[in-house]
Amino acid sequence: MDFTAILGAWIAVGLTLFILSFLYRDNPLFKIAENLYIGIAIGYIFSITIYNVWIPKIYQPVSNRVFTSLSNWVPWVSKFVTPAGDAGSLTPLFPAIIGISLLTRIFPKISWISRYGFAFIVGYGAGLAIPATVATMFIAQIEGTIQPVFKLASGGAIDLSGPALWTSFSAILLCLGVIVTLFYFFFSLEHGKISKKVTKIGIYFLMVYFGAAFGTTVMGRFALLYGRFFDLYTYRTSGYYHATPILILLVLIFFFVYFGKSRKTSP
Amino acid sequence: MKNFFDKLLKLDRRILFLLVVFVIVFPIFKPLKLPGIKITDAVKGVYNTIESLPENSVILVSFDFDPASKPELYPMAVAVLRHAFKKNLKVIGMTLWATGPGIADEIITMTAREYKKEYGKDYLYFGYQVGGYAVITGMGTDIYKIFSKDAKKGSPLETFPVMQGIKSLKNFAYVIDFGAGDPGIDTWIAYGADKFGFKLGAGCTAVNEAPTRPYLQTKQLTGLIPAMKGASEYEILIKAPDKASAGMDAIGLGHFLILFLVILANVVLIVQKYLLT
């Protein structure tokens, strides 16, 4: 096994234990892992943005265009600089300037410039998002709610087989659920005796949804925890120089020393 | 008796943490192979679509997640890619998440190696592109304007044989998104599948399962692999049990523990309130 894989395993095990140590009590190891996580995440996204976006999408096309034009006007430039790739383009400057304009918010005197950037983003975003959202999350969902209640069998008669009746029941329940839940959020009129009962059924439907969402969230959290423990299990072997048991032991020693000391110093 | 119930209600939560650790770790050391994994229609939707594709069809897989969601989405992505490569489909990978390129590259490279697939001919990796919905909208009309070069070799896309006949999203036989948030499944449906009319399947985290399911009923998704349970179903379908199937023991035991604790806490409260006063 190569050195980077072993080093990666030790770092992964160490940081997992540091983060999990918070379950016992707040401690310096957790703080180290927490700060490292934030720092590394920002650094990683920054480098990805530089190398995947700024250099290939903006710097290269713009610099290529500039060098190509310069070579045409001043021929000796081509002796020193050879543009990589195609002739390039100055068009990426436009979105780049809009993006940079947002940073002017840092300086109050020229922060008004950022409004142009925001105006473009809001205009472009809204123009793209509104029709797509209405079509996908509104019209398509309404269409899905209004399903035929009964299935027709061959010959035009209503299909009364078990699965068909179950589908009919589901369609009616779905439609009813949507109506009563929407009714719960209808605040234009004061809810009377009957409408209060309808909204109560709406609440039950909402509770079923929240219950399902909470249940799946618990499942998700268990899956994440399993993932971490499975990695700890994997890295316990001699191939990784027993990263897991050694680091667990070191963390426990630190805990005994650190909390033992703080117990002695506390009044 | 009253003291016992009082102590039970004031139990140090760290003891509960230890119990959770135990039920998660125990099946890792000793797999229990708990029964009860039933293949659902949602998962079958993705499996059947891939199964129905003719050999050499090109599919696009978008890995829109980061290491935080790896335990849930990684196993299903591996299972789907194994299925695709086994069927001799050509796979193109990409990601809309800045923190996703490492995992996406790892999954596509590892599974391709397992089936001895050749880069550029049988699979390709576009890499990461910033912009979310703007990327999908752009790919709907012209992929080459969004991804001009691949992420591994930095060569122009048109030089790869796998890109023959691929101009926009509509040219893919199937698009699958493994999404953990935004941009993700919602984005692919709203700005991709609904707009340009291509077949879309998805894999989501457990947290996103409830909000994503309505898209199945409206047939905006051909299938959905929800979380580790969905991944384990897919592993069973392709007859290659792996990480997700192994993890279901832990998740099953974890659920039993939570149910037991919820019931116990309620029983203790009821007993204390109505019987011991």
Side-chain angles (χ1 to χ4, degrees), chain A residues 24 57 128 136 141 144 216, chain B residues 14 129 146 194 206 217 220:
Chain A
Y24 177 68
K57 294 283 169 191
L128 209 60
T136 303
Q141 293 306 317
T216 50
Chain B
R14 283 172 294 196
Q129 186 54 271
I146 303 296
D194 279 8
Q217 197 246 341
Q220 287 165 290

Side-chain angles (χ1 to χ4, degrees), chain A residues 57-198:
Chain A
K57 294 283 169 191
I58 295 160
Y59 173 73
Q60 271 176 0
V62 170
S63 64
N64 281 4
R65 182 75 226 155
V66 168
F67 288 133
T68 311
S69 303
L70 264 179
S71 319
N72 289 340
W73 294 332
V74 192
W76 56 265
V77 169
S78 57
K79 285 180 186 171
F80 300 100
V81 187
T82 314
D86 54 18
S89 162
L90 291 180
T91 319
L93 276 178
F94 179 64
I97 289 168
I98 287 175
I100 290 168
S101 78
L102 302 181
L103 297 176
T104 59
R105 291 199 69 82
I106 303 165
F107 312 103
K109 276 189 180 173
I110 54 162
S111 65
W112 57 271
I113 298 172
S114 67
R115 286 182 209 151
Y116 293 101
F118 280 118
F120 185 85
I121 290 167
V122 171
Y124 173 77
L128 209 60
I130 291 170
T133 310
V134 169
T136 303
M137 289 162 195
F138 196 61
I139 295 170
Q141 293 306 317
I142 292 172
E143 273 176 24
T145 309
I146 311 167
Q147 293 284 325
V149 174
F150 291 109
K151 260 188 174 179
L152 293 181
S154 56
I158 293 172
D159 189 352
L160 292 173
S161 63
L165 283 177
W166 178 250
T167 311
S168 301
F169 172 73
S170 301
I172 294 167
L173 190 70
L174 178 73
C175 198
L176 184 81
V178 171
I179 292 166
V180 293
T181 308
L182 281 176
F183 204 80
Y184 172 72
F185 291 102
F186 187 69
F187 303 119
S188 300
L189 282 173
E190 195 183 343
H191 288 185
K193 264 187 182 175
I194 299 169
S195 56
K196 265 186 185 168
K197 281 181 183 164
V198 176

Side-chain angles (χ1 to χ4, degrees), chain A residues 212-224:
Chain A
F214 178 68
T216 50
T217 304
V218 170
M219 187 166 83
R221 298 296 176 254
F222 272 117
L224 298 183

Side-chain angles (χ1 to χ4, degrees), chain A residues 233-248:
Chain A
Y233 175 77
T234 309
Y235 299 142
R236 84 196 187 288
T237 54
S238 56
Y240 293 99
Y241 295 95
H242 307 288
T244 305
I246 291 173
L247 285 171
I248 286 178

Side-chain angles (χ1 to χ4, degrees), chain B residues 12 17-18 29 67 84 136 139 147 174 199 217 242 244 247:
Chain B
D12 191 336
F17 294 153
L18 277 178
F29 283 94
I136 299 169
M139 288 175 78
F147 293 99
Y174 195 33
K199 276 195 274 183
Q217 197 246 341
D242 201 356

Side-chain angles (χ1 to χ4, degrees), chain A residues 23-24 44 48 52-53 57 124-125 128-129 132 136-137 140-141 144 147 174 216 219-220 222-226 229-230 233, chain B residues 14 24 28 68 71-72 98 128-130 133-134 146 189-191 194 206 209 214-215 217-218 220 246-247 250 254-255 258:
Chain A
L23 293 174
Y24 177 68
Y44 181 70
I48 286 279
N52 284 32
V53 183
K57 294 283 169 191
Y124 173 77
L128 209 60
T136 303
M137 289 162 195
Q141 293 306 317
Q147 293 284 325
L174 178 73
T216 50
M219 187 166 83
F222 272 117
L224 298 183
L225 194 60
Y226 170 78
F229 282 131
F230 191 83
Y233 175 77
Chain B
R14 283 172 294 196
I24 299 284
I28 296 177
E72 287 193 273
Y128 162 69
Q129 186 54 271
V130 69
Y133 59 85
I146 303 296
I189 295 171
Y191 301 97
D194 279 8
E209 186 184 347
Y215 295 124
Q217 197 246 341
T218 53
Q220 287 165 290
H255 275 73
I258 295 288

Side-chain angles (χ1 to χ4, degrees), chain B residues 77-138:
Chain B
V78 169
V80 168
L81 258 65
R82 278 179 180 154
H83 186 202
F85 283 131
K86 200 174 168 186
K87 286 268 311 166
N88 287 324
L89 302 180
K90 293 176 191 298
V91 178
I92 292 174
M94 60 171 280
T95 176
L96 295 173
W97 282 38
T99 42
I103 294 180
D105 190 14
E106 182 189 319
I107 294 170
I108 201 163
T109 309
M110 182 191 80
T111 47
R113 263 189 210 148
E114 281 177 21
Y115 291 88
K116 297 185 174 65
K117 298 292 178 184
E118 194 183 321
Y119 186 75
K121 191 176 154 230
D122 303 307
Y123 74 102
L124 194 65
Y125 178 52
F126 284 173
Y128 162 69
Q129 186 54 271
V130 69
Y133 59 85
V135 171
I136 299 169
T137 310

